[in-house]
Amino acid sequence: MSEKHLSHPSVRHVAACLQAAAHPHGVIALDDTARSAAEAAAALGVETGAIVKTLMFMAGRPEAPVIALVAGDRQCDVAALAACAGSTTPCRRPDAAAVKAATGYAIGGVSPIGLPEGLRIFMDSSLMRFPVVWAAAGHPHCVFQAAPAALATLASATLTDEISITG
C-alpha cells in the first residue's frame, strides 16, 4: 500500500481527528484509488456494502448542506434525506466547489469525520450489518476503518433506516 498520500493536509486532518477520539485504527493509503465504492471495495478486498459513501446534498430553503453516509451497495433516497433534514423541497447535488467549501474535502475523498460543526449528518442504518466499514480519509487513495456504531459516534451522525434504497 502506498504511503505518499498520508502527508496530504486533509488526510492529516482526518488522522488527527481519529487520534483525538482515541480511535484504534489510523488512516491507510491504498495503491489504487478509492474514488468509488466499487474501487475501494476491490482495493480492500471487502464487500461493496462495507464502503461508506459520504455524500453531500443541498436541502431546504434557504439551502444548506446535508450529509448522507450510505452503504456502498445502496443509493441515497434524496426525498427521504430531505424529509430527515426537515425540508419539504427535494435535495439537490451541489458542484465540486460547493462540496469543498462546505466540507473542506474534495470529491472522492470526503471523510465522514472532521467535518465543520453544524453540518447535519445522517447515517444509513444498513451499514450496521457489517462488523467493520471503511470510509474515505480526505484523499481518493486514503481510508480508515471503524465499527459502524463507532463511525456514527465519530461523525456525530443520526442513524436512520430511511435514507437508502437498494441500488
Side-chain angles (χ1 to χ4, degrees):
M1 298 207 180
S2 174
E3 302 293 319
K4 68 181 180 180
H5 302 293
L6 295 176
S7 62
H8 188 279
S10 293
V11 176
R12 287 197 325 262
H13 175 67
V14 172
C17 291
L18 291 169
Q19 186 174 23
H23 187 67
H25 304 285
V27 174
I28 64 168
L30 304 172
D31 290 328
D32 297 319
T33 184
R35 287 185 198 276
S36 72
E39 288 176 351
L44 292 163
V46 301
E47 290 181 54
T48 305
I51 304 301
V52 179
K53 297 188 291 190
T54 303
L55 308 171
M56 188 184 110
F57 295 91
M58 300 301 288
R61 297 279 184 252
E63 284 189 325
V66 61
I67 304 292
L69 308 181
V70 179
D73 61 351
R74 302 219 170 190
Q75 300 284 327
C76 183
D77 181 335
V78 293
L81 179 63
C84 286
S87 176
T88 58
T89 59
C91 290
R92 70 168 182 85
R93 277 277 187 147
D95 63 20
V99 172
K100 174 80 171 164
T103 67
Y105 300 114
I107 289 178
V110 178
S111 181
I113 66 166
L115 294 166
E117 287 200 31
L119 286 179
R120 293 167 296 169
I121 304 168
F122 297 93
M123 183 171 154
D124 171 14
S125 63
S126 81
L127 287 162
M128 298 304 225
R129 65 195 144 122
F130 299 100
V132 172
V133 295
W134 295 84
H139 189 279
H141 284 265
C142 296
V143 295
F144 71 94
Q145 68 174 300
L151 179 63
T153 299
L154 287 166
S156 299
T158 300
L159 198 61
T160 178
D161 60 0
E162 299 174 20
I163 65 166
S164 75
I165 51 178
T166 303

